[in-house]
Amino acid sequence: MAFQKQEERKGLSLPGLIDIVFLLLIFSLVTFSVSSVNVGSDEGRARAVDYQLPEARIRETLEMEEVLQTLLILVEYQNTEDVNGPRIVYTLWPSVKDSLTFSEAKNNAIRDSSFAQFPSNFLELSDYAFTNSSACLLIERAIRDYKNLFFYEPRNTNSVELRAVKETEFRIVNFIMEQCSSYGDTIPRILLHTLSDKGVENAF
Amino acid sequence: MPFNQKKRPKEQVELISFFDIFFILFVFFLVTSFVVRMPLQERILYIPTPENTLGRAQIVVQFIDEANVFWLDEEVSSLVTEIEENYGYLSDTRLRDRIFDELFNQNVLTLEELDKKLSELRLRANQNPDLEYFLLIRCPNEISYFRVLDVITAISETSFRNIKYGCVGGTFDEIRQCRRIYTVVEIDADGNRRKNIRIDF
């Protein structure tokens, strides 16, 4: 008769297992919340299209103020799921009396009809037809009026902001730059909204 | 007389378990480090508006389409001079076409090659703080503007901020159909004679 070796079966140590599971859980939880884009605040939620902004992975960027500081030209898709669809432009004005956030200013623009759609064939249009489209006229008027109201003399700090979805055609961006440059040194720069790593502040 | 302390056997870390734990943690952190990315924030990048003056640049980057660019820098001058010397008997239009064909064959880059060129430029700018570069980016209407932004970000972070840039609209065909492309001799800031390339639109 063969001898039977009685061995005690080894089980998992429950407290040890729970320790490890909790450690891994907490680590994953922390790293996940760090890696996600900031959508916690109302403002963040209003900017769900953030993900469609171009990335500029450099440190030389400026921190974006929650409150609108200057005229902001916003270019978005009419339908966020159709990147080839028509583009809509909004002109967002800051408030002189009180502070306006991005979403409040956008609501104001919608209320005041300060928005227009680029023609779907705007790339095929002649320069004349393009610059006379309702969207271009809206941009031109907004920059001119804002300049007349707030930019009395050439200054490095005079600027117009542009927040445009990543696939925005250069024709639109170029038109905005040309409008600013038509005032010479009065509007020497435009500020582009991008997605960047948190960088070092610069005194541009 | 003090009591003798009870001698306990010294506890040692079990080497095999230690390696087990070490490797599990190592693999775990390795995997998560690929998943975790630094958070991106909405931030602002400034771009100078173009000046309405005669353009002058050491480097011209002309976007042809979403995947290719045409690169012109000072090295081009010697090539143009050589063609001018060898084919000076041709009419202006044919000479222009000849120059353009040569330039086209040698200076069209893919985006990867462009990245490499820009890295070299950045390195040169970092090694020569006294030199100032101006890079002009020309982009056709239909190209997405983030392509231009990619070029700007590639040259922005130099130690001495000696690469300036500007961007304007313009097509490759405008360069191809320019009135004239030729070299001119100019005196630079140090009093040296230099051959520069000039494009008349």
Side-chain angles (χ1 to χ4, degrees), chain B residues 91-155:
Chain B
S91 66
D92 280 355
T93 316
R94 290 193 66 193
L95 185 63
R96 178 203 70 186
D97 291 345
R98 180 91 207 179
I99 291 170
F100 193 84
D101 287 344
E102 284 292 328
L103 293 178
F104 184 75
N105 290 336
Q106 296 187 22
N107 292 283
V108 173
L109 309 175
T110 61
L111 294 183
E112 289 78 30
E113 289 166 337
L114 174 67
D115 263 351
K116 208 174 148 198
K117 280 264 191 191
L118 293 174
S119 304
E120 287 167 9
L121 173 67
R122 212 168 47 229
L123 192 71
R124 237 175 19 243
N126 284 337
Q127 287 168 348
N128 302 290
D130 298 335
L131 290 181
E132 285 227 329
Y133 296 90
F134 183 80
L135 186 139
L136 179 72
I137 306 159
R138 295 182 92 241
C139 186
N141 289 337
E142 67 278 7
I143 305 282
S144 306
Y145 83 109
F146 78 90
R147 297 278 178 212
V148 174
L149 212 57
D150 284 346
V151 176
I152 292 172
T153 53
I155 52 165

Side-chain angles (χ1 to χ4, degrees), chain B residues 162-191:
Chain B
N162 48 351
I163 305 182
K164 305 272 186 275
Y165 56 83
C167 41
V168 293
T171 63
F172 182 58
D173 281 343
E174 285 169 357
I175 298 183
R176 187 193 284 273
Q177 287 157 12
C178 65
R179 278 194 295 124
R180 203 174 158 206
I181 182 164
Y182 57 106
T183 51
V184 286
V185 178
E186 291 177 329
I187 310 291
D188 68 11
D190 300 325

Side-chain angles (χ1 to χ4, degrees), chain A residues 75-78 83-89 116-136 139 165 167-176, chain B residues 140-145:
Chain A
V75 182
E76 286 186 348
Y77 307 120
Q78 188 185 42
V83 295
N84 297 317
R87 311 270 186 259
I88 292 199
V89 62
Q117 185 181 311
F118 282 99
S120 52
N121 63 337
F122 75 92
L123 285 174
E124 283 93 56
L125 294 179
S126 66
D127 282 346
Y128 179 80
F130 176 68
T131 51
N132 281 292
S133 65
S134 56
C136 286
I139 294 170
V165 285
E167 284 81 11
T168 301
E169 290 77 4
F170 190 73
R171 187 171 207 184
I172 297 174
V173 177
N174 193 38
F175 175 76
I176 295 166
Chain B
N141 289 337
E142 67 278 7
I143 305 282
S144 306
Y145 83 109

Side-chain angles (χ1 to χ4, degrees), chain A residues 59 62 163-164 193 202, chain B residues 42-45 145 157 161:
Chain A
R59 294 184 308 142
L62 303 169
R163 189 174 188 279
H193 285 233
N202 278 309
Chain B
E42 187 170 336
R43 293 178 69 84
I44 284 170
L45 179 74
Y145 83 109
E157 291 192 318
R161 299 199 180 173

Side-chain angles (χ1 to χ4, degrees), chain A residues 148-181:
Chain A
N148 288 341
L149 279 171
F150 300 106
F151 299 153
Y152 308 113
E153 56 187 22
R155 270 196 192 159
N156 277 341
T157 49
N158 293 350
S159 57
V160 167
E161 291 186 26
L162 171 63
R163 189 174 188 279
V165 285
K166 191 178 171 183
E167 284 81 11
T168 301
E169 290 77 4
F170 190 73
R171 187 171 207 184
I172 297 174
V173 177
N174 193 38
F175 175 76
I176 295 166
M177 289 201 299
E178 280 176 352
Q179 287 306 306
C180 294
S181 91

